[in-house]
């Protein structure tokens, strides 16, 4: 995976003024667009699209400062149909428009070319198991919420708090499939993992495909496949979020598996009364790399 990401960075440089065929690039690197985007954003700390924009504007700034070409010519070269669109992208990266930079020689904010390396941190080995599951359903109450990487998501908190206590018991009684118990499910997340983008959050349980689903519940159909299950324990949600990040930085680069599209599931096995600490299982859908 590290080698694939570095090859991707090289390809971005080679085709900086062109529209990237990411699906084709991923296939050429022996992986999938979905996994490549997820791993890039997790390790780089920014979506691939944002990195490409920053690199384009970094290189374009040289053309702007030299002053040998009309700004529209430069804009078209870097994929923008107008000076205005190019100017907005340029300002978003450098904090000043191209005309101002041409006059003053700056300010300029450079995005260096990335290089990925696998670093051995000496951390505790991740407690992981692989589970091959037949198709099942996730049923419960869903809503759309913004993605928040760190800390408690208040939108999810509000959603759960609005579900009556007796409904939690009804859902628990429905659970008849692994992962067991009440589950925290995220689906339809942006593969780039951009903070603030919307995803589907479902508070519910797993049931078999033949289990009758009562009216009024939302359903996510989950196809058969392999899941990587990561066990976490400690302060909540910090321990869970740290483990989630470590799957990208430590586990996937070291193991012959890659993410496949599908929901991510958190099962809470034990927790303190105030939820300050918890033992959880994080279920991620995977396939052979």
């Amino acid at each position: 995976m590290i080698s694939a990401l570095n090859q991707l960075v090289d390809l971005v440089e080679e085709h900086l003024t062109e529209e990237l065929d990411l699906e084709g690039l991923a296939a050429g690197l022996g992986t999938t667009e979905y996994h490549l985007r997820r791993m890039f954003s997790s390790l780089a700390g920014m979506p691939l699209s944002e990195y490409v924009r920053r690199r384009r504007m970094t290189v374009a700034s040289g053309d702007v400062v030299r002053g040998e070409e009309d700004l529209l010519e430069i804009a078209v070269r870097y994929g923008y149909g107008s000076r205005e669109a190019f100017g907005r992208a340029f300002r978003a990266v450098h904090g000043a428009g191209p005309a101002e930079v041409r006059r003053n020689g700056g300010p300029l904010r450079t995005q260096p070319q990335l290089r990925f390396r696998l670093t051995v941190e000496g951390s505790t080995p991740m407690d992981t198991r692989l589970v091959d599951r037949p198709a099942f359903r996730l049923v419960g109450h869903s809503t759309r919420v913004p993605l928040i990487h760190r800390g408690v998501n208040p939108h999810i908190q509000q959603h759960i708090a609005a579900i009556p206590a007796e409904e939690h018991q009804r859902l628990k009684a429905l659970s008849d499939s692994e992962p067991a118990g009440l589950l925290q499910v995220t689906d339809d997340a942006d593969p780039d993992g951009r903070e603030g983008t919307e995803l589907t959050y479902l508070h519910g349980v797993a049931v078999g495909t033949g289990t009758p689903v009562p009216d009024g519940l939302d359903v996510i159909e989950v196809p058969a496949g392999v899941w990587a299950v990561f066990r976490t324990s400690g302060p909540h949600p910090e321990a869970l979020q740290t483990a989630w990040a470590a799957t990208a930085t430590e586990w996937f680069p070291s193991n012959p598996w890659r993410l496949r599209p599908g929901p991510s599931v958190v099962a809470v096995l034990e927790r303190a009364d105030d939820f300050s600490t918890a033992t959880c299982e994080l279920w991620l859908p995977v396939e052979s790399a």
Side-chain angles (χ1 to χ4, degrees):
M1 194 65 240
I2 297 297
S3 174
L5 288 170
N6 284 325
Q7 290 179 64
L8 172 61
V9 168
D10 292 339
L11 288 169
V12 167
E13 292 300 309
E14 292 172 17
H15 304 279
L16 205 55
T17 60
E18 306 167 25
E19 195 64 35
L20 280 177
D21 174 17
L22 192 52
E23 184 177 0
L25 291 177
L29 295 172
T31 186
T32 64
E33 178 183 353
Y34 181 83
H35 184 66
L36 199 61
R37 285 164 56 126
R38 288 284 295 269
M39 291 300 100
F40 186 97
S41 62
S42 295
L43 294 174
M46 72 180 90
L48 176 61
S49 57
E50 175 65 14
Y51 173 71
V52 171
R53 182 169 69 97
R54 291 185 188 182
R55 283 297 299 154
R56 281 178 177 164
M57 293 303 100
T58 295
V59 176
S61 66
D63 296 336
V64 169
V65 171
R66 277 190 291 270
E68 298 171 358
E69 298 173 283
D70 181 79
L71 291 177
L72 180 58
E73 292 180 76
I74 299 173
V76 171
R77 179 183 306 125
Y78 290 95
Y80 294 89
S82 68
R83 290 177 56 159
E84 291 74 21
F86 175 70
R88 286 192 295 271
F90 194 92
R91 182 178 292 277
V93 172
H94 297 292
E100 179 184 345
V101 166
R102 174 163 282 185
R103 285 194 307 271
N104 304 323
L108 294 173
R109 297 173 184 162
T110 300
Q111 170 61 60
Q113 184 176 342
L114 290 179
R115 188 56 52 186
F116 294 92
R117 294 181 176 86
L118 180 60
T119 302
V120 178
E121 299 288 352
S123 58
T124 303
M126 300 186 74
D127 186 353
T128 314
R129 61 191 173 101
L130 294 167
V131 181
D132 194 352
R133 293 280 290 110
F136 63 97
R137 289 173 169 174
L138 294 163
V139 303
H141 298 278
S142 69
T143 187
R144 297 288 288 176
V145 300
L147 174 62
I148 295 176
H149 288 299
R150 292 289 179 186
V152 174
N153 189 319
H155 306 277
I156 292 177
Q157 276 191 321
Q158 292 168 12
H159 175 65
I160 296 173
I163 300 173
E166 59 272 17
E167 183 62 10
H168 291 281
Q169 296 305 317
R170 183 173 78 119
L171 288 172
K172 282 184 180 180
L174 277 176
S175 174
D176 64 5
S177 185
E178 197 180 19
L182 282 174
L183 308 173
Q184 303 168 3
V185 180
T186 56
D187 196 20
D188 298 326
D190 176 12
D192 286 330
R194 292 174 294 177
E195 182 123 4
T197 54
E198 283 201 335
L199 53 83
T200 297
Y201 174 82
L202 181 139
H203 189 73
V205 296
V207 300
T209 54
T211 301
V213 178
D215 293 339
L217 294 181
D218 301 307
V219 178
I220 297 175
E221 299 285 351
V222 183
V226 178
W227 296 75
V229 184
F230 303 89
R231 189 182 179 97
T232 72
S233 186
H236 189 79
E238 291 84 357
L240 177 62
Q241 291 169 336
T242 298
W244 204 313
T247 64
T249 58
E250 298 181 29
W251 195 81
F252 281 109
S254 308
N255 288 275
W257 299 91
R258 66 188 178 204
L259 283 166
R260 58 182 170 88
S264 302
V265 181
V266 173
V268 179
L269 306 182
E270 299 176 359
R271 68 179 182 88
D273 292 340
D274 61 357
F275 229 138
S276 59
T277 62
T279 298
C280 303
E281 283 188 341
L282 169 63
W283 289 62
L284 297 179
V286 298
E287 61 189 4
S288 295

